[in-house]
Amino acid sequence: MTDRLSPKAIMDKLISFPTVSRDSNLPLVDWVESYLNSHGIEAHRHYDESGEKAALFAHVGPWIEGAVILSGHTDVVPVDGQPWDSDPFTVTERDGKYFGRGTCDMKGFDAIAIWALVEAQHRGVTRPLQLALSYDEEIGCTGAPPMIRAMQPVLPKGSAVIVGEPSMMKAVTGHKGGYGYATHVQGFEVHSSLIHTGVSAIMFAAPLIEWANRSNEANRDKAPDEIAAMFEPSWTTLHVGVIEGGTAQNITAKDCRFSMDMRVVPSESADDWGDAYKARVREVETQMQAIHPETRIDVTQTFNVPGLKPEKDGEAEAIVRQITGDNESHVVSYGTEAGQFQEAGYSAVVCGPGSIAQAHQPNEYISVAQFQAGVDFADQLVARLQEG
């Protein structure tokens, strides 16, 4: 029988795989699958279209519905250009902290979840436990929806999902939705002295960006509803973080590309916001085409992360609160895969060790105390599943 690795030893191994989102995660998936198999746990994969990445999911306990699912992602953000004091892909302990890319976000939790699944297998549980590890979370939570769809015909459907994003082991019951639109404004080049005969893609992109500014002002000034009031800030926000275009200062720009990202409070419709943006795009495009009919604006959705809505008598929330004793309300403005599980019919909550403030940073870390708090939580969860 293969040794049962400690949570720390599993984390060490997971961190050693540099699973930056742009690269394959298959070496990590191979190792996890092999480790689970060595303990008599059958793991299942779902590949992305390239075949270079895969989600992994598994079930322990009686073959019945109603499992608790521990869910995490396997990808991490890049370390390029960041001033690390140690190898980011080797866990280094100092000053009561474990340093390494993904220790906080979120291979620390992944390690605890894998450990818990093996513990549940050896201890025996009367209520099942499932593990779900996705890919491509860091580039817009694109890997979770196909994983969720793939799980349902293969495993008995679980009922309560704990997504282990870093929350200092608090029960996060709501988060904003995240939606991204790649926008390509295609203008018509002329010498800038004849601007009235040309169409500057940059200058016609400006009204769309100004629409975002005006929308932010209007959202900020209106009274938030009960759900929106839980968030900081308490309104839907729009943001342009990347823009490029133009050839020279004396040529009307032929192209301008930018991102339009939205963080939508759960009580508002993401579709309505998307429709409002596209309506403004069509207005600007009509103005462009009145000057030169071959100009256009293309809008492509790049990511779609539904918000997590607080549940009335939510099962996942209740499990976390019973174990942690946390009875306060917590919401966050960033997105997670919890909203995608909720959208698919699961009760979902976010609860994991570490602070989101450490995520994506050089010298990313999780404190030893927080990591141990996560282990203690998983240990108590398995004990509860033994009782049914």
Side-chain angles (χ1 to χ4, degrees):
M1 177 66 69
T2 301
D3 290 340
R4 289 151 70 175
L5 298 177
S6 70
K8 169 62 165 52
I10 298 173
M11 179 172 68
D12 289 346
K13 190 66 180 180
L14 298 182
I15 297 294
S16 72
F17 297 104
T19 52
V20 176
S21 303
R22 65 187 175 222
D23 300 321
S24 174
N25 72 339
L26 293 184
L28 180 150
V29 170
D30 290 341
W31 183 85
V32 175
E33 183 174 24
S34 177
Y35 180 64
L36 295 179
N37 288 346
S38 73
H39 289 281
I41 301 172
E42 182 182 9
H44 306 268
R45 298 188 185 199
H46 177 75
Y47 288 91
D48 73 346
E49 292 180 356
S50 74
E52 293 299 318
K53 298 177 182 178
L56 189 77
F57 45 90
H59 177 104
V60 162
W63 201 255
I64 57 174
E65 295 187 348
V68 175
I69 303 172
L70 298 178
S71 177
H73 60 82
T74 61
D75 60 321
V76 296
V77 297
V79 299
D80 307 27
Q82 292 188 334
W84 284 74
D85 295 331
S86 55
D87 180 358
F89 298 108
T90 300
V91 177
T92 303
E93 181 179 356
R94 62 180 184 272
D95 302 324
K97 302 169 183 175
Y98 295 129
F99 292 86
R101 175 57 86 220
T103 50
C104 174
D105 184 16
M106 60 180 301
K107 290 180 177 178
F109 176 82
D110 292 346
I112 292 168
I114 293 166
W115 174 83
L117 198 73
V118 172
E119 287 297 301
Q121 173 79 339
H122 286 279
R123 295 187 204 176
V125 289
T126 58
R127 179 179 179 180
L129 180 67
Q130 292 179 357
L131 172 72
L133 300 178
S134 70
Y135 57 85
D136 284 354
E137 190 273 349
E138 295 291 5
I139 57 175
C141 295
T142 59
M147 176 187 71
I148 295 168
R149 291 192 296 269
M151 289 172 61
Q152 297 193 30
V154 176
L155 304 182
K157 186 171 181 179
S159 60
V161 182
I162 301 171
V163 176
E165 293 283 0
S167 71
M168 297 297 288
M169 296 308 300
K170 302 298 184 182
V172 172
T173 58
H175 64 64
K176 291 184 178 181
Y179 307 88
Y181 297 91
T183 306
H184 180 194
V185 184
Q186 301 174 58
F188 182 74
E189 291 177 309
V190 299
H191 193 282
S192 59
S193 64
L194 300 173
I195 189 173
H196 65 292
T197 64
V199 176
S200 169
I202 292 175
M203 296 185 73
F204 278 93
L208 299 177
I209 297 172
E210 181 59 19
W211 174 84
N213 287 328
R214 291 183 181 276
S215 295
N216 284 335
E217 292 173 0
N219 289 346
R220 180 192 59 204
D221 292 342
K222 69 183 180 183
D225 60 32
E226 182 178 357
I227 292 178
M230 300 171 68
F231 291 88
E232 175 58 38
S234 59
W235 61 84
T236 291
T237 59
L238 293 83
H239 175 245
V240 175
V242 178
I243 186 169
E244 62 179 1
T247 303
Q249 65 180 21
N250 60 350
I251 303 174
T252 56
K254 184 178 185 299
D255 295 286
C256 182
R257 293 177 172 86
F258 63 91
S259 64
M260 179 67 73
D261 297 346
M262 304 175 180
R263 301 285 176 174
V264 180
V265 294
S267 53
E268 294 183 357
S269 167
D271 289 340
D272 288 349
W273 275 107
D275 290 344
Y277 177 56
K278 292 172 188 176
R280 182 64 180 129
V281 165
R282 299 285 78 85
E283 291 175 358
V284 173
E285 184 181 61
T286 298
Q287 296 169 10
M288 294 167 55
Q289 292 176 345
I291 302 170
H292 200 286
E294 294 181 6
T295 58
R296 59 186 293 177
I297 304 176
D298 294 330
V299 175
T300 304
Q301 188 168 54
T302 53
F303 62 89
N304 180 341
V305 184
L308 177 66
K309 299 178 181 179
E311 301 170 359
K312 183 178 181 180
D313 302 321
E315 180 187 7
E317 175 186 352
I319 292 171
V320 167
R321 293 195 186 284
Q322 288 165 7
I323 295 176
T324 63
D326 174 29
N327 290 315
E328 297 181 1
S329 296
H330 307 280
V331 298
V332 294
S333 292
Y334 58 84
T336 78
E337 295 171 336
Q340 294 168 323
F341 275 100
Q342 188 180 68
E343 191 174 60
Y346 298 83
S347 174
V349 69
V350 176
C351 182
S355 168
I356 194 65
Q358 306 308 323
H360 303 186
Q361 299 295 310
N363 295 322
E364 176 184 347
Y365 71 84
I366 187 172
S367 72
V368 174
Q370 270 293 297
F371 186 73
Q372 186 57 49
V375 175
D376 293 343
F377 174 91
D379 185 55
Q380 293 180 59
L381 173 63
V382 173
R384 286 174 173 267
L385 299 180
Q386 289 179 279
E387 300 168 0

